[in-house]
Amino acid sequence: MKYDFESVISRKNTGSEKWNSMYKKYKNIPDDIVPLSVADMEFKNPPEIGEALGEYFKNSVMGYTEPQDSYYNAVISWFKRRHNWNIEKEWILDYPGVVPALYHIVNCFTEKDEGVIIFTPVYYPFYSAIKSGGRNIVECPLVENNGEYKINFEDFENKAKDSKNTLCIICNPHNPVGRVWTVEELKKIGDICIKNNIKIVSDEIHNDIIMPGYNHTVFASISEEFQKNSIICTAPSKIFNTAGLMTSNIIISDYETRKKLYKYRMNNGVFGCNMAGYKACEVAYNKCEEWLSQFINVIDRNRIFVENFIRENIPEIKVSRLEGTYLMWLDCRQLGMDYIKLEKFMIEKALLFNDEGYIFGEGGKGFERINIACPLSVLSQAMERLKKALDSIKK
Ligand SMILES: Cc1ncc(COP(=O)(O)O)c(C=O)c1O
């Protein structure tokens, strides 16, 4: 393999949010424990990004910086090449993160007391974005059957018919359940939204981390009508581990929608991203495809390892099939602990710092989300600790 996905890198005392939150939970954690929570990677970035940034900063004046044509061209070309979606420069609105964009979108396109539909359990900032301006969270719980999650379209259609509900946010691929929604599912969602005058926001931040055998479809690429009725949230940050550079691209084809969000962004003091983020995005999209394909193979290998380990050693835990993202979803409800005890067990007995399922909503209680973007040795030790801790409480 050309790139290094096996070195274990300590991020202790580096400012890593993921590592800091582990130490907050448990001060005296041994040095060899790596957290499996927050969605960034325990891998070195593609070296092309660091090298290009080094050169760039050596020769730059670091004043206020706007994206240049080379930036827009990299984004346009990425979506054409990898997603068969033709976009135009004017459609791209840069934002310092998808989450800040979600807050703005909710508050810009809905009124107080209107409802925003989400499919739950889901990435927790969806809830906070909706609540931030006093909008109502309208949950459509996903239906779980033996680890497989589906949308309850009857429930969705009923909620969509309520004229108080004016926006729907989907997560594709879905964090935390790992689904990559099929074209048929997306068409059904889109048709219901159009029939009921509901705007769609599709958070596609994980769009390039798709496991072999699955295909990601950009929601807006399905039809002109869907494109006009949607806002697509994208970023290189999950794909190339550049979340610390806070640069994302919100892609909107409809002129009025775009103008409204642009105005809202400016009126709320957000004027764009930063020169490092622009440069990194450009380099990632132009030069790091080979790294990405190796990364996907590593994630698929790690996925298979976890599935096999759990099946052979801890059959009480049910693993949802990972179709996309690097976040696996483990159903621990048969371990016989409530979700509070489960969290305590994971931290204190297994020394595992996962994301607890309950943070993703009611339907996540009793589940654990584990981040498998780490060296296999880290994952293997984590699984062994889990098995040992469970064996010890069985005795
Ligand atoms: C679905 C989803 N959207 C957004 C984000 C974060 O976006 P940003 O860091 O660009 O604010 C994450 C991070 O895990 C995510 O999983």
Side-chain angles (χ1 to χ4, degrees):
M1 214 180 272
K2 178 170 163 191
Y3 298 102
D4 176 11
F5 293 98
E6 303 309 334
S7 297
V8 180
I9 309 155
S10 172
R11 295 166 73 198
K12 188 175 181 177
N13 297 329
T14 63
S16 154
E17 191 188 321
K18 186 201 287 180
W19 284 63
N20 283 356
S21 71
M22 173 172 76
Y23 290 112
K24 261 186 220 140
K25 282 185 184 159
Y26 200 132
K27 281 205 171 39
N28 298 320
I29 191 86
D31 270 349
D32 63 340
I33 302 293
V34 175
L36 303 179
S37 54
V38 177
D40 63 21
M41 305 174 192
E42 298 304 316
F43 297 130
K44 290 180 191 157
N45 286 97
E48 293 81 358
I49 298 179
E51 281 156 21
L53 285 181
E55 276 307 303
Y56 183 50
F57 281 115
K58 245 194 279 167
N59 300 307
S60 290
V61 175
M62 293 172 217
Y64 296 114
T65 304
E66 290 183 331
Q68 302 194 77
D69 275 349
S70 56
Y71 174 83
Y72 291 112
N73 289 339
V75 179
I76 291 167
S77 158
W78 183 262
F79 281 97
K80 168 90 193 128
R81 228 168 46 242
R82 297 204 47 114
H83 297 279
N84 197 23
W85 186 36
N86 292 310
I87 59 174
E88 293 171 19
K89 174 182 166 185
E90 289 69 28
W91 301 4
I92 303 169
L93 186 53
D94 54 316
Y95 249 93
V98 165
V99 170
L102 290 175
Y103 275 65
H104 280 194
I105 291 165
V106 167
N107 291 309
C108 175
F109 294 103
T110 63
E111 299 296 327
K112 201 164 180 302
D113 293 326
E114 283 183 356
V116 180
I117 303 177
I118 51 176
F119 299 100
T120 59
V122 76
Y123 182 52
Y124 45 90
F126 283 21
Y127 297 91
S128 43
I130 299 168
K131 278 194 291 195
S132 68
R135 277 56 171 168
N136 293 327
I137 297 166
V138 180
E139 291 194 49
C140 281
L142 294 168
V143 179
E144 186 262 340
N145 182 15
N146 209 18
E148 224 188 285
Y149 282 85
K150 296 232 158 82
I151 290 167
N152 178 344
F153 281 103
E154 206 182 312
D155 178 42
F156 176 45
E157 186 147 28
N158 283 335
K159 285 167 179 160
K161 275 183 193 154
D162 183 341
S163 60
K164 283 224 132 201
N165 301 334
T166 53
L167 193 74
C168 171
I169 311 178
I170 63 172
C171 191
N172 186 28
H174 190 96
N175 173 10
V177 308
R179 279 292 320 275
V180 175
W181 303 115
T182 62
V183 183
E184 289 70 33
E185 287 168 316
L186 294 172
K187 274 190 183 153
K188 273 193 185 173
I189 296 174
D191 286 341
I192 290 171
C193 284
I194 287 188
K195 207 161 114 195
N196 294 287
N197 214 10
I198 290 177
K199 200 179 274 305
I200 277 270
V201 181
S202 186
D203 179 343
E204 305 193 6
I205 196 166
H206 297 273
N207 61 4
D208 288 286
I209 310 168
I210 306 297
M211 295 302 103
Y214 295 91
N215 287 310
H216 172 81
T217 305
V218 176
F219 180 81
S221 71
I222 294 174
S223 71
E224 273 291 322
E225 210 182 8
F226 284 12
Q227 183 159 278
K228 193 169 160 42
N229 190 42
S230 61
I231 297 173
I232 311 297
C233 302
T234 75
S237 55
K238 293 290 138 189
I239 324 297
F240 299 103
N241 209 22
T242 57
L245 297 176
M246 306 188 110
T247 300
S248 70
N249 295 299
I250 310 305
I251 307 177
I252 309 172
S253 79
D254 180 58
Y255 174 72
E256 292 302 328
T257 308
R258 205 163 64 224
K259 197 168 78 176
K260 195 168 168 184
L261 185 61
Y262 177 73
K263 215 166 139 197
Y264 189 95
R265 192 194 76 171
M266 299 302 272
N267 286 342
N268 283 280
V270 176
F271 305 110
C273 306
N274 64 86
M275 62 189 288
Y278 295 137
K279 178 54 84 183
C281 174
E282 199 178 310
V283 176
Y285 282 168
N286 285 341
K287 297 201 170 140
C288 299
E289 240 166 322
E290 192 184 342
W291 182 92
L292 177 58
S293 64
Q294 287 188 16
F295 168 73
I296 287 169
N297 288 338
V298 167
I299 296 303
D300 198 40
R301 176 203 65 186
N302 287 1
R303 165 191 76 78
I304 293 168
F305 168 77
V306 172
E307 282 176 359
N308 289 344
F309 187 96
I310 290 183
R311 192 178 50 246
E312 286 158 21
N313 297 285
I314 323 169
E316 305 91 316
I317 296 181
K318 217 161 42 185
V319 183
S320 286
R321 176 69 197 245
L322 186 76
E323 301 177 356
T325 80
Y326 50 72
L327 307 163
M328 289 185 84
W329 188 236
L330 312 183
D331 181 351
C332 301
R333 289 174 297 180
Q334 280 180 28
L335 293 179
M337 301 174 219
D338 65 25
Y339 73 99
I340 313 249
K341 279 204 184 118
L342 181 66
E343 177 171 25
K344 210 167 144 55
F345 165 82
M346 288 292 168
I347 296 175
E348 292 177 7
K349 287 257 188 291
L351 298 183
L352 278 176
F353 295 83
N354 308 326
D355 270 320
E356 294 303 311
Y358 67 80
I359 67 173
F360 302 94
E362 191 62 28
K365 282 184 177 167
F367 290 75
E368 297 282 317
R369 192 194 77 173
I370 63 165
N371 179 341
I372 62 166
C374 58
L376 187 56
S377 61
V378 167
L379 212 46
S380 161
Q381 284 170 18
M383 287 295 115
E384 289 295 345
R385 286 202 306 279
L386 179 57
K387 176 174 157 21
K388 215 167 128 199
L390 282 169
D391 287 347
S392 80
I393 57 164
K394 276 183 202 157
K395 273 183 196 153

